[in-house]
Amino acid sequence: MKSLADVDLHELQSALHDAALPESHALRLLLAYYKQNGVINTDALQLGAPATALFNDLLSTTHTTVAARHVSSDGTVKLLLSLRAGGTVEAVLMPSYHDTRAAGCLSSQVGCAMGCDFCASTRGGLERNLTAGEIVEQFLHLRREAATQGRRLNTVVFMGMGEPMHNLDAVATAIRRVTVPPFNLIAKRGVTVSTVGIVPGIERLASMDLNVHLALSLHAPDDETRSKLIPSNKRWKVADVMDAAKRFSESTGRVVTIEYTLLAGVNDSDAQARELSRVMHGFRAHVNLIPYNPIGPGLSGVTYEKPSVDRIERFRTILTDANVVTHVRQTRGDDVNAACGQLRHRATTLPIASV
Ligand code: SAH
């Protein structure tokens, strides 16, 4: 059974055509559906009984329901979404410093196969890919959440659970659905797809002409360190993922973000900061330093720690002195386990109050 999040304008027009109903109803319905973030009263649209019945059918089917909602003291809202097809995922809304805007973090898979040692999402392995409709519904849940705060969801990042490049068709379909005119729920430049460094995926994303941003989870400038943290580094090494990111940037004109989770004593030394500057040399990309959020021991049994404020600052200074544009990401929502790497679904959830 389809949900309205599964169909685009063209498909809805065809459905109406097949039912001998006016195709023009499709645009009115979808405009209302998106404007009201998935919750609408079709009677108010006055489309006539047969079209209303057809639409109510589509609307009665939703893939996701909010199973739990956690609000952090910093305003971050974490939604645990229960999926009709099985499993749960989390989606996070982060209020921006600009008081009319918010950023969202979306999941692309239930669980994750990548096995990165410092990330909680991968602990239970991969359960399944999300469908495009499930991703669109996540987006609408966050957009509704933002609206209740008087904010507009103007950026989203695929940095929740899962590896988007392993589910790129559904991710791309969902992105198209929310960015396409006349709906324009969000600008393409407001969307970032984050990858652990699946090179063919980066190449495909560049060729899709989606016009979104790319974030590359680098986390170490040398193969020895990176291979310990990220199993896929054995397949695509630092040089391979950086080359792919550069090609992405050249072909799309987008500035790439290099994500670097700082782990005390593992990847936060002066030498590693200098090596990162070297790897970044000549590449017009930004480095986003993410202080590690504790998740307990990793799959390897190693327990990581967040570096001190001074160490983080020193690491940043080495990069900025080498003319690398660097930001330190503010930790958001860590009191409700919604910070980076802390997203995990119910089955593998350690104590999160009331989940
Ligand atoms: N699979 C994709 C998207 C999900 S990860 C990717 O790897 O990019 C989103 C970001 O959160 C990545 O940069 C990831 O490495 C980072 N992250 C994961 N666990 C973290 C933790 N415990 N603390 C801080 N950042 C973490």
Side-chain angles (χ1 to χ4, degrees), residues 105-106 108-109 112 114 116-121 157-165 193-198 215-219 226 230 258-263 288 290-296 304 329 331 339-343:
C105 182
L106 299 174
S108 57
Q109 299 181 308
C112 184
M114 300 319 300
C116 300
D117 207 32
F118 52 86
C119 179
S121 296
V157 292
F158 281 89
M159 293 184 193
M161 226 184 230
E163 169 51 47
M165 296 308 183
V193 176
S194 179
T195 180
V196 72
I198 309 294
L216 170 66
S217 290
L218 190 66
H219 309 307
R226 193 168 192 268
I230 302 173
I258 303 295
E259 291 163 278
Y260 197 103
T261 300
L262 282 168
L263 308 163
N288 214 336
I290 312 163
Y292 171 68
N293 298 307
I295 60 153
Y304 298 99
R329 195 190 290 168
T331 301
C340 274
Q342 294 185 317
L343 296 179

Side-chain angles (χ1 to χ4, degrees), residues 176-197:
R176 287 201 185 92
R177 206 160 284 156
V178 297
T179 55
V180 73
F183 308 111
N184 304 317
L185 302 188
I186 190 166
K188 286 178 169 160
R189 64 172 183 283
V191 178
T192 299
V193 176
S194 179
T195 180
V196 72

Side-chain angles (χ1 to χ4, degrees), residues 256-270:
V256 171
T257 301
I258 303 295
E259 291 163 278
Y260 197 103
T261 300
L262 282 168
L263 308 163
V266 175
N267 65 358
D268 66 341
S269 70
D270 286 2

Side-chain angles (χ1 to χ4, degrees), residues 139-153:
F139 176 87
L140 293 178
H141 281 296
L142 291 185
R143 200 162 175 268
R144 188 167 58 245
E145 194 64 55
T148 62
Q149 297 185 8
R151 293 172 187 269
R152 190 178 148 71
L153 183 62

